[in-house]
Amino acid sequence: MAGHSSGTNRGSHSMDKSITLPPDEIFRNLENAKRFAIDIGIRIPLIYTWFRLRHVVTISMLQEADGDPLYEISVQEEITARLHFIKFENAYIETCLDFIKDHLVNTETKVIKATGGGAYKFKDLIEKKLKLKVDKEDEMSCLIKGCNFVLRNIPHEAFVYAKHADSEFRFQTTHPDIFPYLLVNIGSGVSIVKVESEDQFERIGGSSIGGGTFWGLGALLTKTKVKFDELLQLASKGQHTSVDMLVKDIYGGAYGSLGLTGDLIASSFGKSATADKEFSKEDMAKSLLHMISNDIGQLACLYARLHNLNRVYFGGFFIRGHPVTMHTITYSINFFTKGEVQALFLRHEGYLGAIGAFLKGAEEDNPNQYSWGENYAGSSGLMSVSPDLNPMQRARSGTFDMLEMDRLERQLVNLPLLQDPSSYIPDTMDLTEDALAREYWLYCFEEALDGVVKRAIASQPDMPEAAERAEKFRQKYRHKLQTLRNQPFAYGSLTVRSLLDTREHCLNEFNFPDPYSKIKQKENDVALRYYLKVVKSLEELSWEQRQFALVRGLLAGNVFDWGAKAISDVLESDPEFGFEEAKRQLQGNTETFYTQTIRGGPPHTCALFFVDNSGIDIILGVFPFVRELLGRGTQVVLASNSGPALNDVTNGELQILTERIAAMDPVIHSAFKEDRLTLVQSGSSSPCLDLSVLLRDTMVIHFYIDLSLLLITSRLDKVLATVVRERQTDLVIIEGMGRAIHTNYYAMLSCESLKLAVIKNSWLAERLGGKIFSVVFKYEVPPKH
């Protein structure tokens, strides 16, 4: 499949063996591969790990001197691990192996882990071509290990298929406890496996009627030696009612006393026994697909009922993301369980065996100590399943697709402050289902692209190749936006958060870890000069006046957000736009929080504050507010991004800012010294916030931190869970459009919470019934039990 002949037409038919697959796009960094695994079936997923070199931003404090910047920014290089997956037809295995051999120059391993039936068939060929020893692994154990891996590490991995809904794909949120579940793997035959824990599973049943049956009988019935994809294509165009006998064909309508509808299949191929006519290949293929899918669905239902399981995942070569297959299995499951059990499918089901084999080969590296996340920049995503709407996309899906995952250095655990983690959905708006919102936000991100490119180049003035890399970023991200316009389901539910994260992934792919670093540095320097003036003016106010001024200052600070195009345009055109002007622009009422929590109420024990932007926001808005909380006897934990995103303040920057403010302000100095003011990294490198999970084994750092970016992710750090428990946190403050509106607007916490932001987008303001600069100031108290 992976040819390297030149001059071929990349738009040619998917079965053309000469199709060009450049190493930069398909077998990316193959020459740096360190470990391999392969699952050899009808289609072959190959997985290899490599260590990529990338730029990271580090900051270090400078000696205080008039006119000098607060800290120094430098760009360094770092090595990080990545998994690369490529899936192709086994008809091209020799060409593929030749390609790998030609580019395999730096590998340290002498072994390739292999699973699947072809691990025996192609063992000698692989060893001869690659000069690597093939180490075969048990197919079923690899499959389960791979399934556990994707369910734990990839949000929106599982989905329900609803053919007639506005959005065909309904993605499931990642559940902290994935066990137990039933895995129905449909290859040549069917294996049904009950999975109870990471290492405990049992094959409880199966059937010889599976994908091989469909292919074999299909070839006989159509009298052609069609390929599997071609048979599915025939089925998608057929009408099974021409061949199948329905209930209404027997009874003249529905059979009410038995609860049977008239269009229910009473006998597969029933009409072929009596009808004196030729049946089309398409109709016979459709009838056959229905027959086998219904049979598998009923079998799965029986085992699910028998073992009291309500999570049933379907995978294997037979599924292939094909709409008719998924719809028929879904219909069968719903019919036989009366909707009590859902048929769940997996975005990456074709990779499960290869992932399991890889994990077995990497056990000495303790892979379970890490978490992995999908890198949207290097993954092709879920392909369109509608061949009539996008036949070329379907052809490409039949040829190859890719998945890339980056390694985190920590594992994931739950956040204890959510009322119900199993029902928590971080994102406020699902753009997969909301077509109007989807089109607006895709347009919005595309319109902002030139500005991001400009910032990326400006962030690396000493690197002459930065402009070339920035142009490649532009092309990559624009292509991703076009893909998401046609396939909004490609990476799970499409949200503003996923659009932001995809952009950050693409920026990092071309070594732009922090395009807004210079802007943040400048704005932090300027804001610090006004800090004591703001504090002094607040101290001159009466107690009641000060509370309102603090809240207005907190919101005015949140106006200064370079991620909002309306604001970035203002800041570009009017450098004099400042803190007082922002206060005058605010619209809305903030009295609720003041009335219910500040006026006469007892102080909170501990406030956890998820902060937003650098500059005026954190220095002139957040710190005076924090200062007031500390004066009331409330401990404060400031949670900031671990890695850069837009102009959000990072933990490394916040350490330096806090130290500088503490040098000026005795209130902050004593609180910081006595650990009543604590700084933690959130584990996030996103403008948005996912409160569902935390990262394990990190430390609270009070001084300098290296801003090395391990992965763009919007999940949280385990230290927050420790803080929540040990400090009896009873107030959570979430600031900013990304954290409090695009995500967590409807999040229900088990303690008091305050969600605040200034809406800096006219379209979103109108959606919420306001106008630009309207204030969201949402104070919530959990119900008493």
Side-chain angles (χ1 to χ4, degrees):
M1 188 278 305
H4 49 280
S5 57
S6 60
T8 53
N9 181 2
R10 297 190 64 181
S12 60
H13 191 274
S14 67
M15 308 311 289
D16 179 1
K17 294 187 180 183
S18 65
I19 186 168
T20 299
L21 301 177
D24 285 348
E25 291 301 321
I26 308 305
F27 290 93
R28 301 173 67 236
N29 272 274
L30 180 63
E31 65 273 14
N32 296 319
K34 302 297 181 186
R35 192 182 303 278
F36 289 88
I38 191 167
D39 180 9
I40 309 177
I42 299 173
R43 297 186 89 205
I44 302 178
L46 172 72
I47 173 176
Y48 58 90
T49 182
W50 52 283
F51 294 90
R52 65 184 293 257
L53 190 67
R54 62 174 171 188
H55 293 157
V56 295
V57 169
T58 60
I59 64 173
S60 53
M61 184 178 290
L62 296 173
Q63 294 294 323
E64 187 172 2
D66 291 340
D68 287 343
L70 176 66
Y71 52 82
E72 184 178 56
I73 302 170
S74 60
V75 178
Q76 299 179 356
E77 293 181 334
E78 180 186 83
I79 299 293
T80 186
R82 172 170 290 181
L83 295 180
H84 185 87
F85 305 75
I86 175 72
K87 188 163 55 180
F88 53 90
E89 306 286 350
N90 78 8
Y92 310 129
I93 187 168
E94 287 205 53
T95 310
C96 171
L97 292 175
D98 285 337
F99 184 90
I100 294 173
K101 180 185 67 175
D102 291 342
H103 293 80
L104 195 63
V105 293
N106 293 325
T107 184
E108 296 173 356
T109 184
K110 300 301 179 185
V111 176
I112 181 169
K113 288 285 184 179
T115 189
Y120 297 88
K121 180 179 179 181
F122 295 107
K123 176 179 181 294
D124 293 340
L125 177 65
I126 295 171
E127 291 185 338
K128 178 183 177 183
K129 290 276 187 183
L130 299 185
K131 301 295 189 289
L132 298 176
K133 181 180 180 296
V134 172
D135 191 359
K136 299 185 293 295
E137 291 288 347
D138 176 70
E139 186 173 4
M140 192 55 64
S141 62
C142 288
L143 190 70
I144 301 305
K145 193 174 277 289
C147 189
N148 293 341
F149 180 89
V150 297
L151 289 175
R152 286 190 189 283
N153 287 282
I154 304 181
H156 294 176
E157 172 63 30
F159 63 89
V160 172
Y161 182 73
K163 181 180 179 181
H164 300 297
D166 290 339
S167 175
E168 294 173 292
F169 300 87
R170 295 179 180 174
F171 293 93
Q172 308 291 295
T173 54
T174 304
H175 196 278
D177 185 9
I178 64 174
F179 306 111
Y181 65 85
L182 199 68
L183 177 63
V184 181
N185 191 59
I186 314 168
S188 299
V190 180
S191 289
I192 300 177
V193 186
K194 178 183 178 182
V195 185
E196 297 186 86
S197 70
E198 194 67 45
D199 300 309
Q200 187 177 356
F201 62 90
E202 177 188 4
R203 187 183 187 277
I204 57 176
S207 171
S208 62
I209 301 173
T213 313
F214 172 66
W215 198 357
L217 282 179
L220 290 173
L221 288 168
T222 61
K223 296 183 175 59
T224 54
K225 291 295 182 183
V226 292
K227 290 182 170 22
F228 193 90
D229 272 335
E230 293 169 341
L231 190 60
L232 283 175
Q233 195 77 358
L234 284 175
S236 70
K237 299 174 182 176
Q239 294 292 329
H240 76 99
T241 54
S242 301
V243 183
D244 293 341
M245 188 175 291
L246 309 181
V247 168
K248 64 184 178 183
D249 295 326
I250 299 175
Y251 299 106
Y255 201 142
S257 64
L258 293 180
L260 302 177
T261 60
D263 59 357
L264 195 69
I265 298 174
S267 174
S268 295
F269 290 91
K271 289 179 181 176
S272 62
T274 56
D276 187 19
K277 66 173 185 176
E278 288 289 325
F279 296 99
S280 73
K281 295 177 182 179
E282 291 81 0
D283 292 349
M284 286 189 293
K286 185 66 164 287
S287 175
L288 181 62
L289 186 61
H290 271 280
M291 182 182 76
I292 291 173
S293 298
N294 275 321
D295 181 68
I296 293 170
Q298 183 174 21
L299 193 63
C301 286
L302 292 172
Y303 278 105
R305 285 280 180 84
L306 183 63
H307 293 268
N308 196 31
L309 298 171
N310 56 18
R311 274 183 284 188
V312 183
Y313 297 103
F314 290 85
F317 181 77
F318 182 67
I319 302 295
R320 304 290 303 285
H322 196 275
V324 178
T325 309
M326 293 191 297
H327 173 66
T328 309
I329 288 175
T330 299
Y331 181 89
S332 178
I333 291 283
N334 288 339
F335 179 82
F336 289 114
T337 68
K338 295 181 171 58
E340 294 178 3
V341 175
Q342 283 187 322
L344 295 166
F345 304 94
L346 301 171
R347 282 203 292 135
H348 301 103
E349 56 84 18
Y351 296 109
L352 303 186
I355 291 173
F358 176 83
L359 292 174
K360 282 178 174 286
E363 284 175 349
E364 64 267 29
D365 296 332
N366 297 316
N368 289 330
Q369 288 185 359
Y370 306 104
S371 289
W372 301 80
E374 182 174 5
N375 186 299
Y376 299 143
S379 296
S380 47
L382 190 64
M383 294 297 173
S384 172
V385 297
S386 301
D388 295 333
L389 294 175
N390 203 339
M392 289 307 296
Q393 197 81 61
R394 191 70 199 167
R396 180 182 174 223
S397 174
T399 305
F400 68 89
D401 55 33
M402 293 179 296
L403 165 66
E404 284 197 348
M405 299 185 72
D406 286 336
R407 190 179 76 183
L408 289 168
E409 298 303 317
R410 306 165 184 95
Q411 289 181 310
L412 306 177
V413 295
N414 296 327
L415 175 68
L417 283 177
L418 290 168
Q419 276 190 27
D420 181 9
S422 63
S423 64
Y424 169 70
I425 299 174
D427 300 289
T428 304
M429 194 180 302
D430 188 342
L431 306 182
T432 318
E433 298 181 355
D434 191 332
L436 185 64
R438 178 171 70 247
E439 189 53 41
Y440 170 77
W441 285 110
L442 287 170
Y443 164 77
C444 193
F445 277 85
E446 190 160 10
E447 188 184 30
L449 192 50
D450 287 345
V452 178
V453 169
K454 177 182 174 183
R455 293 297 163 200
I457 297 171
S459 70
Q460 299 179 4
D462 299 326
M463 296 186 179
E465 83 289 353
E468 182 182 349
R469 284 187 283 112
E471 185 56 35
K472 289 181 178 178
F473 154 73
R474 184 206 305 272
Q475 294 171 8
K476 182 91 168 185
Y477 188 57
R478 180 170 285 151
H479 173 72
K480 289 292 178 183
L481 292 176
Q482 291 168 351
T483 297
L484 291 168
R485 186 170 274 113
N486 296 323
Q487 300 163 215
F489 46 78
Y491 302 109
S493 293
L494 182 64
T495 63
V496 174
R497 175 167 63 112
S498 66
L499 287 170
L500 285 164
D501 288 352
T502 302
R503 185 168 69 186
E504 296 298 319
H505 286 186
C506 291
L507 280 167
N508 275 271
E509 191 64 24
F510 296 101
N511 284 322
F512 291 108
D514 195 357
Y516 290 82
S517 57
K518 301 294 185 184
I519 290 177
K520 289 189 291 181
Q521 183 185 36
K522 178 181 176 182
E523 293 189 347
N524 286 331
D525 286 341
V526 171
L528 276 172
R529 297 175 197 161
Y530 291 93
Y531 174 77
L532 287 179
K533 181 179 179 181
V534 169
V535 167
K536 184 179 178 182
S537 66
L538 287 167
E539 289 177 336
E540 292 173 351
L541 300 174
S542 68
W543 184 89
E544 185 168 318
Q545 289 175 326
R546 187 168 72 251
Q547 308 313 310
F548 283 111
L550 283 164
V551 168
R552 289 190 67 79
L554 190 61
L555 289 162
N558 193 244
V559 169
F560 293 86
D561 183 357
W562 283 86
K565 190 173 188 302
I567 300 302
S568 64
D569 288 347
V570 169
L571 296 176
E572 289 272 19
S573 60
D574 184 7
E576 301 303 316
F577 184 88
F579 194 37
E580 296 304 317
E581 177 62 23
K583 288 180 184 178
R584 290 191 286 271
Q585 297 286 347
L586 297 178
Q587 301 182 41
N589 187 2
T590 60
E591 190 172 348
T592 304
F593 180 73
Y594 164 77
T595 301
Q596 296 188 32
T597 66
I598 301 296
R599 182 185 291 163
H604 294 90
T605 303
C606 179
L608 173 60
F609 199 140
F610 290 100
V611 297
D612 193 12
N613 306 304
S614 286
I616 289 177
D617 190 352
I618 185 68
I619 295 169
L620 304 185
V622 171
F623 264 100
F625 188 85
V626 166
R627 195 175 188 272
E628 187 76 12
L629 290 175
L630 291 167
R632 284 169 50 81
T634 300
Q635 296 182 66
V636 178
V637 177
L638 295 181
S640 55
N641 273 9
S642 298
L646 297 175
N647 67 311
D648 293 354
V649 64
T650 64
N651 189 261
E653 292 160 347
L654 187 56
Q655 302 293 336
I656 291 176
L657 294 177
T658 305
E659 190 168 333
R660 185 57 57 87
I661 290 172
M664 296 188 285
D665 186 344
V667 174
I668 297 300
H669 181 272
S670 62
F672 198 50
K673 183 178 179 181
E674 296 164 8
D675 208 23
R676 290 183 291 112
L677 172 60
T678 304
L679 311 182
V680 298
Q681 54 177 320
S682 68
S684 174
S685 299
S686 168
C688 298
L689 191 62
D690 182 354
L691 295 171
S692 61
V693 287
L694 306 165
L695 290 170
R696 185 176 297 167
D697 297 333
T698 59
M699 300 174 61
V700 182
I701 305 172
H702 292 281
F703 298 102
Y704 174 78
I705 177 174
D706 184 346
L707 288 183
S708 45
L709 179 59
L710 298 172
L711 175 69
I712 300 299
T713 176
S714 53
R715 296 171 176 175
L716 304 179
D717 197 292
K718 187 195 175 184
V719 71
L720 297 182
T722 305
V723 167
V724 164
R725 294 189 181 96
E726 292 182 354
R727 306 204 178 190
Q728 300 178 327
T729 300
D730 50 359
L731 173 64
V732 173
I733 304 172
I734 305 176
E735 180 200 14
M737 279 180 55
R739 293 166 180 80
I741 298 180
H742 294 317
T743 53
N744 298 303
Y745 189 74
Y746 298 114
M748 300 301 296
L749 302 182
S750 58
C751 67
E752 294 177 32
S753 62
L754 174 61
K755 301 165 188 174
L756 61 102
V758 177
I759 302 176
K760 293 147 287 193
N761 178 284
S762 298
W763 182 90
L764 181 60
E766 291 176 10
R767 232 336 150 87
L768 296 175
K771 51 187 177 180
I772 195 165
F773 295 119
S774 291
V775 168
V776 170
F777 205 81
K778 195 176 182 184
Y779 170 62
E780 295 172 325
V781 180
K784 293 181 179 179
H785 298 291

